[in-house]
Amino acid sequence: MADGSKTESDYDVLYRIMTTRMSVRRLRPDPIPDEYVDKILEAGRWAMSGANGQPWEYLVIKDPKKKKALYDAFQDTNQEFCFWMEQMRPFELRHPAFQVKGDDLKDEWQKIRNSTGGQQRRPWHEAPVVIVVLGDGRRQWATVNAAFTFGRHASHFTDGLANTCTHMQLAIASLGLGSHWGTVHVQEPLKRVLGVPDLIDVYLVISIGYADIERKPGVRRELKEIVHRETYDMSKYMSNADIIDYLYKLRGKTMFRYHLKDSLLPAAGDGTKKG
């Protein structure tokens, strides 16, 4: 520019969005513009997919009763399933959301089920908008690769759905919004709430709203640890024991994201202020 000021390149803008995006487990219930929702969906539909099969569809939910019904179905199947599975692992290796220390595990589950237990969250059904990403596996017939796989769950099907979700997450961050995504392990209860046909998959639940927590720095492996040149560098290969050690260290770096109260914004509404 003539005045000598610098402008961000397209890559710089993208990099800033990617590195500042975070999963937000405390969203304000304040409404967001319909225009924003349309922009998020528009970003999603431009994702890449095998042979351009475009296997995705989106179900947008704003009705409080419908969101609550979906949340209850999710908590009572997906989350409970994950909670009890995690209890079979060493405490330090459990997912941070399920690291509980109480003597009564059933009671601890109920605290998590009801979004209590000191984790400073809001249940995601209180977010103003929830987008459920659906997938129609028959659209993978667009690619000849379908001839080499069985069923509707071929990888290029889920690859495409992952791509559309990534597009939407970046769009959400670019609009100054926060989001949280819930992995769907058990589809049937959610299908019943949403009226989704049997042949359509419920892939991901994305809650969207304005963040009510301050951003914390992301944790990612260093590029030098994961890049190989020309051939695989065996000095970077991790044994099974190395992987377990890595996971212990990773949990140590990420636990505070789930439990620190000082991540709350001053106006979060719990009476605490940062001073």
Side-chain angles (χ1 to χ4, degrees), residues 82-112:
C82 292
F83 173 83
W84 289 105
M85 288 291 291
E86 287 292 316
Q87 302 316 304
M88 293 189 287
R89 305 210 296 170
F91 178 86
E92 295 82 4
L93 289 183
R94 295 174 196 164
H95 187 285
F98 302 124
Q99 289 188 1
V100 297
K101 295 183 178 181
D103 294 329
D104 187 341
L105 286 178
K106 290 183 179 180
D107 181 61
E108 294 302 319
W109 158 243
Q110 285 302 318
K111 291 178 181 178
I112 293 175

PDB file of all heavy atoms in Angstrom, residues 82-112:
ATOM      1  N   CYS A  82     -19.431 -43.203  26.717  1.00  0.00           N
ATOM      2  CA  CYS A  82     -18.036 -42.764  26.802  1.00  0.00           C
ATOM      3  C   CYS A  82     -17.552 -42.682  28.247  1.00  0.00           C
ATOM      4  O   CYS A  82     -16.413 -43.045  28.552  1.00  0.00           O
ATOM      5  CB  CYS A  82     -17.866 -41.407  26.121  1.00  0.00           C
ATOM      6  SG  CYS A  82     -18.080 -41.445  24.329  1.00  0.00           S
ATOM      7  N   PHE A  83     -18.423 -42.204  29.128  1.00  0.00           N
ATOM      8  CA  PHE A  83     -18.039 -42.070  30.539  1.00  0.00           C
ATOM      9  C   PHE A  83     -17.604 -43.405  31.117  1.00  0.00           C
ATOM     10  O   PHE A  83     -16.532 -43.521  31.732  1.00  0.00           O
ATOM     11  CB  PHE A  83     -19.211 -41.502  31.344  1.00  0.00           C
ATOM     12  CG  PHE A  83     -18.955 -41.495  32.835  1.00  0.00           C
ATOM     13  CD1 PHE A  83     -18.247 -40.462  33.418  1.00  0.00           C
ATOM     14  CD2 PHE A  83     -19.420 -42.521  33.645  1.00  0.00           C
ATOM     15  CE1 PHE A  83     -18.008 -40.451  34.788  1.00  0.00           C
ATOM     16  CE2 PHE A  83     -19.185 -42.527  35.012  1.00  0.00           C
ATOM     17  CZ  PHE A  83     -18.474 -41.487  35.592  1.00  0.00           C
ATOM     18  N   TRP A  84     -18.418 -44.428  30.927  1.00  0.00           N
ATOM     19  CA  TRP A  84     -18.103 -45.719  31.537  1.00  0.00           C
ATOM     20  C   TRP A  84     -16.927 -46.391  30.843  1.00  0.00           C
ATOM     21  O   TRP A  84     -16.125 -47.077  31.492  1.00  0.00           O
ATOM     22  CB  TRP A  84     -19.338 -46.615  31.535  1.00  0.00           C
ATOM     23  CG  TRP A  84     -20.365 -46.129  32.513  1.00  0.00           C
ATOM     24  CD1 TRP A  84     -21.531 -45.487  32.236  1.00  0.00           C
ATOM     25  CD2 TRP A  84     -20.278 -46.197  33.939  1.00  0.00           C
ATOM     26  NE1 TRP A  84     -22.190 -45.153  33.398  1.00  0.00           N
ATOM     27  CE2 TRP A  84     -21.449 -45.584  34.458  1.00  0.00           C
ATOM     28  CE3 TRP A  84     -19.335 -46.728  34.827  1.00  0.00           C
ATOM     29  CZ2 TRP A  84     -21.682 -45.479  35.831  1.00  0.00           C
ATOM     30  CZ3 TRP A  84     -19.584 -46.636  36.189  1.00  0.00           C
ATOM     31  CH2 TRP A  84     -20.745 -46.015  36.669  1.00  0.00           C
ATOM     32  N   MET A  85     -16.785 -46.186  29.550  1.00  0.00           N
ATOM     33  CA  MET A  85     -15.602 -46.716  28.864  1.00  0.00           C
ATOM     34  C   MET A  85     -14.325 -46.078  29.416  1.00  0.00           C
ATOM     35  O   MET A  85     -13.313 -46.757  29.638  1.00  0.00           O
ATOM     36  CB  MET A  85     -15.711 -46.458  27.363  1.00  0.00           C
ATOM     37  CG  MET A  85     -16.744 -47.310  26.644  1.00  0.00           C
ATOM     38  SD  MET A  85     -16.287 -49.064  26.569  1.00  0.00           S
ATOM     39  CE  MET A  85     -14.898 -48.989  25.432  1.00  0.00           C
ATOM     40  N   GLU A  86     -14.380 -44.773  29.645  1.00  0.00           N
ATOM     41  CA  GLU A  86     -13.196 -44.059  30.135  1.00  0.00           C
ATOM     42  C   GLU A  86     -12.787 -44.515  31.532  1.00  0.00           C
ATOM     43  O   GLU A  86     -11.606 -44.459  31.882  1.00  0.00           O
ATOM     44  CB  GLU A  86     -13.456 -42.557  30.141  1.00  0.00           C
ATOM     45  CG  GLU A  86     -13.483 -41.917  28.761  1.00  0.00           C
ATOM     46  CD  GLU A  86     -12.114 -41.909  28.096  1.00  0.00           C
ATOM     47  OE1 GLU A  86     -11.119 -41.588  28.774  1.00  0.00           O
ATOM     48  OE2 GLU A  86     -12.037 -42.233  26.908  1.00  0.00           O
ATOM     49  N   GLN A  87     -13.748 -44.969  32.322  1.00  0.00           N
ATOM     50  CA  GLN A  87     -13.416 -45.382  33.693  1.00  0.00           C
ATOM     51  C   GLN A  87     -12.551 -46.632  33.725  1.00  0.00           C
ATOM     52  O   GLN A  87     -11.979 -46.970  34.767  1.00  0.00           O
ATOM     53  CB  GLN A  87     -14.698 -45.598  34.506  1.00  0.00           C
ATOM     54  CG  GLN A  87     -15.608 -44.384  34.584  1.00  0.00           C
ATOM     55  CD  GLN A  87     -14.875 -43.084  34.844  1.00  0.00           C
ATOM     56  OE1 GLN A  87     -14.136 -42.960  35.834  1.00  0.00           O
ATOM     57  NE2 GLN A  87     -15.067 -42.112  33.967  1.00  0.00           N
ATOM     58  N   MET A  88     -12.453 -47.324  32.606  1.00  0.00           N
ATOM     59  CA  MET A  88     -11.613 -48.526  32.554  1.00  0.00           C
ATOM     60  C   MET A  88     -10.157 -48.193  32.265  1.00  0.00           C
ATOM     61  O   MET A  88      -9.308 -49.081  32.269  1.00  0.00           O
ATOM     62  CB  MET A  88     -12.156 -49.489  31.494  1.00  0.00           C
ATOM     63  CG  MET A  88     -13.513 -50.077  31.859  1.00  0.00           C
ATOM     64  SD  MET A  88     -14.038 -51.402  30.756  1.00  0.00           S
ATOM     65  CE  MET A  88     -14.443 -50.472  29.292  1.00  0.00           C
ATOM     66  N   ARG A  89      -9.887 -46.912  32.009  1.00  0.00           N
ATOM     67  CA  ARG A  89      -8.508 -46.516  31.712  1.00  0.00           C
ATOM     68  C   ARG A  89      -7.870 -45.907  32.961  1.00  0.00           C
ATOM     69  O   ARG A  89      -8.578 -45.467  33.880  1.00  0.00           O
ATOM     70  CB  ARG A  89      -8.501 -45.490  30.581  1.00  0.00           C
ATOM     71  CG  ARG A  89      -9.212 -45.990  29.338  1.00  0.00           C
ATOM     72  CD  ARG A  89      -8.634 -45.412  28.080  1.00  0.00           C
ATOM     73  NE  ARG A  89      -8.769 -43.974  27.964  1.00  0.00           N
ATOM     74  CZ  ARG A  89      -8.149 -43.260  27.021  1.00  0.00           C
ATOM     75  NH1 ARG A  89      -7.370 -43.862  26.161  1.00  0.00           N
ATOM     76  NH2 ARG A  89      -8.316 -41.964  26.953  1.00  0.00           N
ATOM     77  N   PRO A  90      -6.526 -45.873  33.026  1.00  0.00           N
ATOM     78  CA  PRO A  90      -5.884 -45.171  34.145  1.00  0.00           C
ATOM     79  C   PRO A  90      -6.390 -43.730  34.230  1.00  0.00           C
ATOM     80  O   PRO A  90      -6.662 -43.096  33.205  1.00  0.00           O
ATOM     81  CB  PRO A  90      -4.390 -45.218  33.765  1.00  0.00           C
ATOM     82  CG  PRO A  90      -4.256 -46.410  32.883  1.00  0.00           C
ATOM     83  CD  PRO A  90      -5.546 -46.487  32.114  1.00  0.00           C
ATOM     84  N   PHE A  91      -6.526 -43.225  35.429  1.00  0.00           N
ATOM     85  CA  PHE A  91      -7.130 -41.907  35.652  1.00  0.00           C
ATOM     86  C   PHE A  91      -6.510 -40.842  34.755  1.00  0.00           C
ATOM     87  O   PHE A  91      -7.211 -40.061  34.109  1.00  0.00           O
ATOM     88  CB  PHE A  91      -6.974 -41.517  37.124  1.00  0.00           C
ATOM     89  CG  PHE A  91      -7.532 -40.156  37.442  1.00  0.00           C
ATOM     90  CD1 PHE A  91      -8.871 -39.998  37.757  1.00  0.00           C
ATOM     91  CD2 PHE A  91      -6.710 -39.031  37.433  1.00  0.00           C
ATOM     92  CE1 PHE A  91      -9.394 -38.748  38.039  1.00  0.00           C
ATOM     93  CE2 PHE A  91      -7.227 -37.779  37.718  1.00  0.00           C
ATOM     94  CZ  PHE A  91      -8.572 -37.637  38.021  1.00  0.00           C
ATOM     95  N   GLU A  92      -5.176 -40.807  34.702  1.00  0.00           N
ATOM     96  CA  GLU A  92      -4.496 -39.733  33.976  1.00  0.00           C
ATOM     97  C   GLU A  92      -4.701 -39.820  32.468  1.00  0.00           C
ATOM     98  O   GLU A  92      -4.518 -38.824  31.756  1.00  0.00           O
ATOM     99  CB  GLU A  92      -2.998 -39.747  34.287  1.00  0.00           C
ATOM    100  CG  GLU A  92      -2.647 -39.446  35.731  1.00  0.00           C
ATOM    101  CD  GLU A  92      -2.791 -40.677  36.636  1.00  0.00           C
ATOM    102  OE1 GLU A  92      -3.088 -41.769  36.107  1.00  0.00           O
ATOM    103  OE2 GLU A  92      -2.603 -40.529  37.863  1.00  0.00           O
ATOM    104  N   LEU A  93      -5.068 -40.996  31.953  1.00  0.00           N
ATOM    105  CA  LEU A  93      -5.247 -41.163  30.512  1.00  0.00           C
ATOM    106  C   LEU A  93      -6.690 -40.979  30.072  1.00  0.00           C
ATOM    107  O   LEU A  93      -6.965 -40.952  28.876  1.00  0.00           O
ATOM    108  CB  LEU A  93      -4.756 -42.551  30.075  1.00  0.00           C
ATOM    109  CG  LEU A  93      -3.249 -42.782  30.100  1.00  0.00           C
ATOM    110  CD1 LEU A  93      -2.921 -44.166  29.564  1.00  0.00           C
ATOM    111  CD2 LEU A  93      -2.513 -41.725  29.281  1.00  0.00           C
ATOM    112  N   ARG A  94      -7.591 -40.838  31.014  1.00  0.00           N
ATOM    113  CA  ARG A  94      -8.986 -40.636  30.633  1.00  0.00           C
ATOM    114  C   ARG A  94      -9.145 -39.285  29.943  1.00  0.00           C
ATOM    115  O   ARG A  94      -8.376 -38.350  30.181  1.00  0.00           O
ATOM    116  CB  ARG A  94      -9.893 -40.686  31.865  1.00  0.00           C
ATOM    117  CG  ARG A  94      -9.924 -42.026  32.554  1.00  0.00           C
ATOM    118  CD  ARG A  94     -10.738 -41.934  33.844  1.00  0.00           C
ATOM    119  NE  ARG A  94     -10.458 -43.086  34.696  1.00  0.00           N
ATOM    120  CZ  ARG A  94     -10.756 -43.152  35.982  1.00  0.00           C
ATOM    121  NH1 ARG A  94     -11.367 -42.121  36.560  1.00  0.00           N
ATOM    122  NH2 ARG A  94     -10.459 -44.219  36.691  1.00  0.00           N
ATOM    123  N   HIS A  95     -10.166 -39.204  29.110  1.00  0.00           N
ATOM    124  CA  HIS A  95     -10.517 -37.912  28.537  1.00  0.00           C
ATOM    125  C   HIS A  95     -10.725 -36.928  29.683  1.00  0.00           C
ATOM    126  O   HIS A  95     -11.348 -37.268  30.701  1.00  0.00           O
ATOM    127  CB  HIS A  95     -11.799 -38.051  27.713  1.00  0.00           C
ATOM    128  CG  HIS A  95     -12.166 -36.824  26.943  1.00  0.00           C
ATOM    129  ND1 HIS A  95     -12.699 -35.710  27.547  1.00  0.00           N
ATOM    130  CD2 HIS A  95     -12.074 -36.532  25.618  1.00  0.00           C
ATOM    131  CE1 HIS A  95     -12.923 -34.781  26.643  1.00  0.00           C
ATOM    132  NE2 HIS A  95     -12.552 -35.252  25.462  1.00  0.00           N
ATOM    133  N   PRO A  96     -10.207 -35.703  29.571  1.00  0.00           N
ATOM    134  CA  PRO A  96     -10.319 -34.757  30.690  1.00  0.00           C
ATOM    135  C   PRO A  96     -11.736 -34.563  31.202  1.00  0.00           C
ATOM    136  O   PRO A  96     -11.949 -34.332  32.397  1.00  0.00           O
ATOM    137  CB  PRO A  96      -9.763 -33.464  30.091  1.00  0.00           C
ATOM    138  CG  PRO A  96      -8.790 -33.920  29.058  1.00  0.00           C
ATOM    139  CD  PRO A  96      -9.404 -35.161  28.460  1.00  0.00           C
ATOM    140  N   ALA A  97     -12.718 -34.648  30.326  1.00  0.00           N
ATOM    141  CA  ALA A  97     -14.108 -34.444  30.762  1.00  0.00           C
ATOM    142  C   ALA A  97     -14.576 -35.544  31.704  1.00  0.00           C
ATOM    143  O   ALA A  97     -15.546 -35.358  32.438  1.00  0.00           O
ATOM    144  CB  ALA A  97     -15.032 -34.379  29.546  1.00  0.00           C
ATOM    145  N   PHE A  98     -13.882 -36.697  31.692  1.00  0.00           N
ATOM    146  CA  PHE A  98     -14.332 -37.841  32.476  1.00  0.00           C
ATOM    147  C   PHE A  98     -13.334 -38.233  33.560  1.00  0.00           C
ATOM    148  O   PHE A  98     -13.380 -39.344  34.073  1.00  0.00           O
ATOM    149  CB  PHE A  98     -14.598 -39.030  31.551  1.00  0.00           C
ATOM    150  CG  PHE A  98     -15.611 -38.738  30.487  1.00  0.00           C
ATOM    151  CD1 PHE A  98     -15.296 -38.916  29.147  1.00  0.00           C
ATOM    152  CD2 PHE A  98     -16.866 -38.267  30.813  1.00  0.00           C
ATOM    153  CE1 PHE A  98     -16.224 -38.637  28.156  1.00  0.00           C
ATOM    154  CE2 PHE A  98     -17.811 -37.987  29.836  1.00  0.00           C
ATOM    155  CZ  PHE A  98     -17.488 -38.174  28.504  1.00  0.00           C
ATOM    156  N   GLN A  99     -12.451 -37.336  33.915  1.00  0.00           N
ATOM    157  CA  GLN A  99     -11.524 -37.592  35.011  1.00  0.00           C
ATOM    158  C   GLN A  99     -12.205 -37.203  36.322  1.00  0.00           C
ATOM    159  O   GLN A  99     -12.163 -36.044  36.740  1.00  0.00           O
ATOM    160  CB  GLN A  99     -10.221 -36.823  34.817  1.00  0.00           C
ATOM    161  CG  GLN A  99      -9.359 -37.372  33.688  1.00  0.00           C
ATOM    162  CD  GLN A  99      -7.987 -36.730  33.640  1.00  0.00           C
ATOM    163  OE1 GLN A  99      -7.650 -35.892  34.456  1.00  0.00           O
ATOM    164  NE2 GLN A  99      -7.177 -37.127  32.656  1.00  0.00           N
ATOM    165  N   VAL A 100     -12.829 -38.162  36.950  1.00  0.00           N
ATOM    166  CA  VAL A 100     -13.572 -37.905  38.183  1.00  0.00           C
ATOM    167  C   VAL A 100     -12.895 -38.638  39.334  1.00  0.00           C
ATOM    168  O   VAL A 100     -12.268 -39.676  39.151  1.00  0.00           O
ATOM    169  CB  VAL A 100     -15.041 -38.350  38.050  1.00  0.00           C
ATOM    170  CG1 VAL A 100     -15.738 -37.538  36.971  1.00  0.00           C
ATOM    171  CG2 VAL A 100     -15.147 -39.836  37.725  1.00  0.00           C
ATOM    172  N   LYS A 101     -13.050 -38.082  40.536  1.00  0.00           N
ATOM    173  CA  LYS A 101     -12.369 -38.639  41.700  1.00  0.00           C
ATOM    174  C   LYS A 101     -13.319 -39.072  42.808  1.00  0.00           C
ATOM    175  O   LYS A 101     -12.893 -39.525  43.859  1.00  0.00           O
ATOM    176  CB  LYS A 101     -11.376 -37.615  42.262  1.00  0.00           C
ATOM    177  CG  LYS A 101     -10.229 -37.287  41.316  1.00  0.00           C
ATOM    178  CD  LYS A 101      -9.247 -36.328  41.952  1.00  0.00           C
ATOM    179  CE  LYS A 101      -8.070 -36.051  41.014  1.00  0.00           C
ATOM    180  NZ  LYS A 101      -7.082 -35.122  41.630  1.00  0.00           N
ATOM    181  N   GLY A 102     -14.610 -38.905  42.611  1.00  0.00           N
ATOM    182  CA  GLY A 102     -15.570 -39.279  43.648  1.00  0.00           C
ATOM    183  C   GLY A 102     -15.635 -40.775  43.875  1.00  0.00           C
ATOM    184  O   GLY A 102     -15.250 -41.579  43.016  1.00  0.00           O
ATOM    185  N   ASP A 103     -16.116 -41.153  45.049  1.00  0.00           N
ATOM    186  CA  ASP A 103     -16.230 -42.573  45.374  1.00  0.00           C
ATOM    187  C   ASP A 103     -17.410 -43.232  44.670  1.00  0.00           C
ATOM    188  O   ASP A 103     -17.405 -44.429  44.405  1.00  0.00           O
ATOM    189  CB  ASP A 103     -16.393 -42.745  46.900  1.00  0.00           C
ATOM    190  CG  ASP A 103     -15.147 -42.313  47.653  1.00  0.00           C
ATOM    191  OD1 ASP A 103     -14.050 -42.455  47.080  1.00  0.00           O
ATOM    192  OD2 ASP A 103     -15.277 -41.825  48.779  1.00  0.00           O
ATOM    193  N   ASP A 104     -18.428 -42.457  44.365  1.00  0.00           N
ATOM    194  CA  ASP A 104     -19.637 -42.981  43.732  1.00  0.00           C
ATOM    195  C   ASP A 104     -19.643 -42.575  42.263  1.00  0.00           C
ATOM    196  O   ASP A 104     -19.962 -41.436  41.921  1.00  0.00           O
ATOM    197  CB  ASP A 104     -20.874 -42.439  44.443  1.00  0.00           C
ATOM    198  CG  ASP A 104     -22.163 -43.077  43.946  1.00  0.00           C
ATOM    199  OD1 ASP A 104     -22.144 -43.648  42.835  1.00  0.00           O
ATOM    200  OD2 ASP A 104     -23.179 -42.989  44.656  1.00  0.00           O
ATOM    201  N   LEU A 105     -19.275 -43.509  41.380  1.00  0.00           N
ATOM    202  CA  LEU A 105     -19.177 -43.178  39.961  1.00  0.00           C
ATOM    203  C   LEU A 105     -20.532 -42.819  39.361  1.00  0.00           C
ATOM    204  O   LEU A 105     -20.618 -41.982  38.466  1.00  0.00           O
ATOM    205  CB  LEU A 105     -18.554 -44.346  39.195  1.00  0.00           C
ATOM    206  CG  LEU A 105     -17.048 -44.548  39.385  1.00  0.00           C
ATOM    207  CD1 LEU A 105     -16.576 -45.761  38.599  1.00  0.00           C
ATOM    208  CD2 LEU A 105     -16.274 -43.304  38.950  1.00  0.00           C
ATOM    209  N   LYS A 106     -21.591 -43.456  39.856  1.00  0.00           N
ATOM    210  CA  LYS A 106     -22.913 -43.123  39.346  1.00  0.00           C
ATOM    211  C   LYS A 106     -23.252 -41.665  39.651  1.00  0.00           C
ATOM    212  O   LYS A 106     -23.832 -40.957  38.826  1.00  0.00           O
ATOM    213  CB  LYS A 106     -23.965 -44.050  39.960  1.00  0.00           C
ATOM    214  CG  LYS A 106     -23.884 -45.495  39.468  1.00  0.00           C
ATOM    215  CD  LYS A 106     -24.998 -46.333  40.067  1.00  0.00           C
ATOM    216  CE  LYS A 106     -24.924 -47.770  39.552  1.00  0.00           C
ATOM    217  NZ  LYS A 106     -26.018 -48.616  40.131  1.00  0.00           N
ATOM    218  N   ASP A 107     -22.869 -41.231  40.845  1.00  0.00           N
ATOM    219  CA  ASP A 107     -23.111 -39.834  41.227  1.00  0.00           C
ATOM    220  C   ASP A 107     -22.266 -38.896  40.371  1.00  0.00           C
ATOM    221  O   ASP A 107     -22.732 -37.835  39.941  1.00  0.00           O
ATOM    222  CB  ASP A 107     -22.801 -39.637  42.711  1.00  0.00           C
ATOM    223  CG  ASP A 107     -23.068 -38.207  43.162  1.00  0.00           C
ATOM    224  OD1 ASP A 107     -24.227 -37.768  43.054  1.00  0.00           O
ATOM    225  OD2 ASP A 107     -22.125 -37.542  43.617  1.00  0.00           O
ATOM    226  N   GLU A 108     -21.018 -39.285  40.124  1.00  0.00           N
ATOM    227  CA  GLU A 108     -20.132 -38.455  39.293  1.00  0.00           C
ATOM    228  C   GLU A 108     -20.662 -38.355  37.874  1.00  0.00           C
ATOM    229  O   GLU A 108     -20.571 -37.305  37.234  1.00  0.00           O
ATOM    230  CB  GLU A 108     -18.710 -39.027  39.297  1.00  0.00           C
ATOM    231  CG  GLU A 108     -18.023 -38.972  40.648  1.00  0.00           C
ATOM    232  CD  GLU A 108     -17.935 -37.556  41.193  1.00  0.00           C
ATOM    233  OE1 GLU A 108     -17.652 -36.644  40.414  1.00  0.00           O
ATOM    234  OE2 GLU A 108     -18.174 -37.378  42.404  1.00  0.00           O
ATOM    235  N   TRP A 109     -21.217 -39.477  37.381  1.00  0.00           N
ATOM    236  CA  TRP A 109     -21.804 -39.421  36.035  1.00  0.00           C
ATOM    237  C   TRP A 109     -22.980 -38.452  35.990  1.00  0.00           C
ATOM    238  O   TRP A 109     -23.123 -37.674  35.060  1.00  0.00           O
ATOM    239  CB  TRP A 109     -22.249 -40.801  35.562  1.00  0.00           C
ATOM    240  CG  TRP A 109     -23.286 -40.709  34.480  1.00  0.00           C
ATOM    241  CD1 TRP A 109     -24.570 -41.145  34.515  1.00  0.00           C
ATOM    242  CD2 TRP A 109     -23.127 -40.081  33.193  1.00  0.00           C
ATOM    243  NE1 TRP A 109     -25.232 -40.835  33.352  1.00  0.00           N
ATOM    244  CE2 TRP A 109     -24.364 -40.176  32.521  1.00  0.00           C
ATOM    245  CE3 TRP A 109     -22.059 -39.434  32.554  1.00  0.00           C
ATOM    246  CZ2 TRP A 109     -24.563 -39.662  31.246  1.00  0.00           C
ATOM    247  CZ3 TRP A 109     -22.262 -38.917  31.277  1.00  0.00           C
ATOM    248  CH2 TRP A 109     -23.497 -39.038  30.636  1.00  0.00           C
ATOM    249  N   GLN A 110     -23.812 -38.469  37.016  1.00  0.00           N
ATOM    250  CA  GLN A 110     -24.965 -37.583  37.033  1.00  0.00           C
ATOM    251  C   GLN A 110     -24.539 -36.118  37.058  1.00  0.00           C
ATOM    252  O   GLN A 110     -25.187 -35.255  36.457  1.00  0.00           O
ATOM    253  CB  GLN A 110     -25.869 -37.892  38.233  1.00  0.00           C
ATOM    254  CG  GLN A 110     -26.691 -39.155  38.058  1.00  0.00           C
ATOM    255  CD  GLN A 110     -27.576 -39.100  36.824  1.00  0.00           C
ATOM    256  OE1 GLN A 110     -28.202 -38.084  36.524  1.00  0.00           O
ATOM    257  NE2 GLN A 110     -27.625 -40.200  36.075  1.00  0.00           N
ATOM    258  N   LYS A 111     -23.423 -35.828  37.734  1.00  0.00           N
ATOM    259  CA  LYS A 111     -22.910 -34.457  37.735  1.00  0.00           C
ATOM    260  C   LYS A 111     -22.519 -34.031  36.323  1.00  0.00           C
ATOM    261  O   LYS A 111     -22.815 -32.914  35.880  1.00  0.00           O
ATOM    262  CB  LYS A 111     -21.703 -34.341  38.667  1.00  0.00           C
ATOM    263  CG  LYS A 111     -22.024 -34.486  40.138  1.00  0.00           C
ATOM    264  CD  LYS A 111     -20.764 -34.393  40.971  1.00  0.00           C
ATOM    265  CE  LYS A 111     -21.052 -34.567  42.445  1.00  0.00           C
ATOM    266  NZ  LYS A 111     -19.805 -34.513  43.264  1.00  0.00           N
ATOM    267  N   ILE A 112     -21.851 -34.941  35.617  1.00  0.00           N
ATOM    268  CA  ILE A 112     -21.466 -34.636  34.244  1.00  0.00           C
ATOM    269  C   ILE A 112     -22.706 -34.593  33.350  1.00  0.00           C
ATOM    270  O   ILE A 112     -22.841 -33.705  32.500  1.00  0.00           O
ATOM    271  CB  ILE A 112     -20.465 -35.691  33.734  1.00  0.00           C
ATOM    272  CG1 ILE A 112     -19.152 -35.587  34.503  1.00  0.00           C
ATOM    273  CG2 ILE A 112     -20.228 -35.532  32.226  1.00  0.00           C
ATOM    274  CD1 ILE A 112     -18.145 -36.652  34.157  1.00  0.00           C
TER     275      ILE A 112
END
